[in-house]
Amino acid sequence: MQDTPDQTPDPDPAPAPAADPAPGDPRDPLDPHVLTGLDLPPERLRAVAAAFADIRAAIEELRALDLGETHPAVVFQPWRGPR
Amino acid sequence: MTAPGDPTRATIGELSALLRAGRLSPVELLDALTDRIRREDGRLAAFVHLSETARAAAERAHAEIAAGDWKGPLHGIPIAIKDNHTTADMPTRAGSAAPGTDYPLADAHAVARLRSAGAIPFAKTRMHEFAWGMETPPTRNPRDPSCSPGGSSGGSAAAVAAGLAPAALGSDTGGSIRIPASLCGCVGFKPSFGLIGRSGIVPHSWSLDHAGPIAASVGDAALVAGAMAGPDPADPGSLGVAAPDWSEALAGGAGGLRVGVCRTHFFEDLVPAVGDRVEAAIAALARAGARVTEFALPEIGQGLGAIFAIELASSTNYHDRRLREGAVAGFGADVRLLVEMGRLVSGADYLQAERFRRHLAERLAPVFDAVDVIVGPTMPLTAWRSGETEIRIGGRAESIVAVSWRLTYPWNLLGLPAISLPCGIDGAGLPVGLQIAGPVLGEAQVLRAAAAAERALGGPMQRVAAPA
């Protein structure tokens, strides 16, 4: 029997290095349009982000609160049909 | 009792007695209101539609009452409806002129309940687009036409304050009933989350939206809210309970009432006249027999990020198809911006906000072991000039939008009953609102305290003429 090279695929291959996308390329996973899902011109997107700045600050304070093991106020309940 | 010749100045309680006694007919009442609206609303801009079927309903009510078939205190009373409640006989636009925002010609649950109680929905009132704002342009404040009536139920409050509707419906996601009621000198009442069903009300934020009335007195607000409340199978948030009879609570007085005053958050950075009038109202309640207890709860002031996260994410999700299709380009600039902004809120932020709501409720619960109600200002300020965007409080410039809901949104996060009633005027003659909140389904004690405060302060604030 002739020896053959092992053809078993590597079960955990390292990701291939991605080519740097061109700036503004919507396939870029870090592109703001991809991140926000907002199909807006760049200047409009900048305006939305700028207007969000004060709200972002308030939400960052919310994120910083240690709420321990508190469950959310709105929780899932299985639907039992119309009441 | 107000003379039948001046029905547009009477309370619902007074009108009901006149109608039942046959001294005023529902048709005369409706005609008096619609005549005034046609003459005066060009300047006030509180209404967007008048019903073409209301007069026939008034004629039916007249015949029923004359035949002894009296349905109760709202029988024959015209009620104006905020433009985000769908109605069978009037179009609904939710304050938007954007294409693709048509809603069914069918009564919202609360509107249907009012019709069953004999009330006559007779007009739709102007609102800030999709309930996403505090101004309701171009509606003017009847107390000073250069000022904003507030929002988002600004048309409803302006209509009631000007005597163009005995009461009007509103919706309240962060203060949209209580804010315009405070600025226009009316009573605005938001019962517990889910007591009034919301099916047929254009959603803004499902877990924050409340429905309720704006009226000229605490008693009138209780009458309308009681008729609106009840199980709503089409609203997943409905509590499924009917409203009890609140008449005993309204007459209960302040004697022995345990009034809590939270000095954190609710009394910080107020316009001086607001602080003065609210302190005077608390003192009046104490003189009337209430036991006043002060307390602090730092968490009550930490909810801004939570309500922003929930309201933005919910509104954007509701409008998501319009956002994807570019239809939001037809929205007003301010509302379009907010709907687009909601995409910047993460799922984790939303859940942190929901966890904060539970945390805040757990921290507040022991307070309601010690007090029946919590009393403070409805807003840190009085009505601002239309178009103004900043105000200076304590030497610091602040956004009016940010200031205006600071004291109302905690009760939306908590889903607790809250009412605003006038407690005086500032140096410019503009009303100051007193806010009273209670525990879940604690409407009776909220209304008892509000009615006691109203009496202690000399009765309901008089309505004014629409601006000339």
Side-chain angles (χ1 to χ4, degrees):
Chain A
M1 178 181 281
Q2 188 178 357
D3 287 343
T4 56
D6 184 359
Q7 297 293 311
T8 308
D10 181 346
D12 189 16
D20 286 343
D25 183 343
R27 293 165 300 177
D28 179 355
L30 295 180
D31 184 277
H33 297 88
V34 175
L35 287 174
T36 63
L38 288 170
D39 185 18
L40 298 173
E43 63 275 15
R44 176 69 186 171
L45 204 51
R46 267 194 295 276
V48 172
F52 187 65
D54 288 347
I55 297 173
R56 186 194 308 282
I59 289 177
E60 283 171 358
E61 288 181 23
L62 171 72
R63 289 175 186 164
L65 296 176
D66 181 359
L67 300 177
E69 298 298 318
T70 308
H71 276 232
V74 175
V75 297
F76 172 75
Q77 289 183 338
W79 194 61
R80 290 172 289 183
R83 286 171 288 169
Chain B
M1 184 180 292
T2 304
D6 188 18
T8 65
R9 289 286 177 269
T11 65
I12 291 176
E14 292 167 338
L15 290 171
S16 181
L18 292 169
L19 291 170
R20 194 177 187 190
R23 296 181 58 205
L24 175 71
S25 88
V27 177
E28 290 169 335
L29 175 57
L30 181 71
D31 286 351
L33 292 166
T34 53
D35 286 352
R36 278 198 59 209
I37 290 169
R38 289 191 177 98
R39 283 198 313 271
E40 301 174 19
D41 192 54
R43 300 184 296 274
L44 191 64
F47 292 89
V48 292
H49 198 89
L50 285 175
S51 167
E52 293 177 0
T53 66
R55 203 164 193 282
E59 289 167 356
R60 279 196 304 278
H62 174 71
E64 289 162 355
I65 294 170
D69 181 19
W70 187 67
K71 294 182 178 177
L74 293 181
H75 201 174
I77 302 291
I79 306 282
I81 312 293
K82 184 177 179 178
D83 189 32
N84 60 351
H85 294 58
T86 60
T87 37
D89 57 342
M90 294 179 275
T92 298
R93 303 283 317 171
S96 185
T101 51
D102 299 311
Y103 295 93
L105 283 168
D107 281 341
H109 176 79
V111 174
R113 287 191 62 93
L114 285 173
R115 281 197 211 274
S116 297
I120 302 171
F122 79 110
K124 298 297 269 281
T125 57
R126 194 179 300 277
M127 58 181 281
H128 205 112
E129 188 176 26
F130 291 116
W132 234 147
M134 309 293 186
E135 292 177 296
T136 323
T139 304
R140 301 162 82 184
N141 188 321
R143 306 282 174 186
D144 178 344
S146 71
C147 290
S148 169
S152 64
S153 312
S156 290
V160 172
L164 301 182
L169 302 195
S171 61
D172 190 317
T173 302
S176 285
I177 289 173
R178 291 159 289 155
I179 288 169
S182 176
L183 297 177
C184 293
C186 307
V187 175
F189 182 32
K190 173 194 87 63
S192 301
F193 181 82
L195 187 63
I196 296 175
R198 303 161 305 163
S199 63
I201 300 176
V202 177
H204 176 42
S205 180
W206 293 278
S207 73
L208 295 168
D209 293 343
H210 298 63
I214 293 175
S217 72
V218 173
D220 285 0
L223 273 178
V224 178
M228 297 166 75
D232 180 357
D235 176 4
S238 173
L239 289 175
V241 297
D245 182 354
W246 291 317
S247 54
E248 196 173 317
L250 290 165
L257 191 70
R258 301 175 304 165
V259 170
V261 176
C262 181
R263 289 293 174 189
T264 41
H265 188 67
F266 288 111
F267 284 82
E268 296 166 1
D269 297 326
L270 307 178
V271 166
V274 170
D276 292 347
R277 299 301 169 273
V278 170
E279 297 291 0
I282 293 168
L285 276 170
R287 283 195 302 276
R291 298 203 309 268
V292 178
T293 305
E294 298 199 3
F295 69 98
L297 186 66
E299 290 88 345
I300 202 85
Q302 295 176 338
L304 183 62
I307 195 153
F308 266 136
I310 297 167
E311 193 170 0
L312 281 165
S314 303
S315 172
T316 298
N317 181 261
Y318 175 70
H319 291 292
D320 197 63
R321 181 181 54 78
R322 297 183 183 113
L323 190 56
R324 281 184 281 111
E325 294 174 353
V328 295
F331 291 6
D334 57 338
V335 175
R336 176 187 173 186
L337 187 63
L338 288 161
V339 169
E340 290 172 341
M341 226 183 257
R343 283 284 180 86
L344 305 180
V345 177
S346 75
D349 295 335
Y350 180 89
L351 284 166
Q352 179 78 346
E354 291 293 353
R355 293 175 70 212
F356 175 77
R357 294 175 90 172
R358 173 63 59 88
H359 174 73
L360 182 59
E362 289 172 352
R363 295 284 294 122
L364 187 62
V367 171
F368 281 120
D369 291 336
V371 305
D372 299 311
V373 292
I374 297 172
V375 175
T378 307
M379 303 180 70
L381 73 175
T382 55
W384 57 88
R385 294 205 176 276
S386 296
E388 276 185 347
T389 57
E390 278 194 348
I391 183 170
R392 296 194 76 80
I393 301 181
R396 187 158 51 96
E398 284 197 80
S399 150
I400 282 175
V401 170
V403 170
S404 60
W405 70 334
R406 181 188 293 153
L407 311 182
T408 51
Y409 75 72
W411 306 119
N412 295 79
L413 282 173
L414 291 158
L416 300 182
I419 195 168
S420 177
L421 69 150
C423 66
I425 54 174
D426 68 5
L430 295 166
V432 174
L434 177 73
Q435 182 171 227
I436 302 174
V440 65
L441 292 177
E443 281 75 15
Q445 56 235 53
V446 168
L447 291 168
R448 177 185 165 199
E454 188 178 69
R455 280 193 294 274
L457 295 167
M461 184 169 274
Q462 293 299 306
R463 281 165 280 181
V464 292

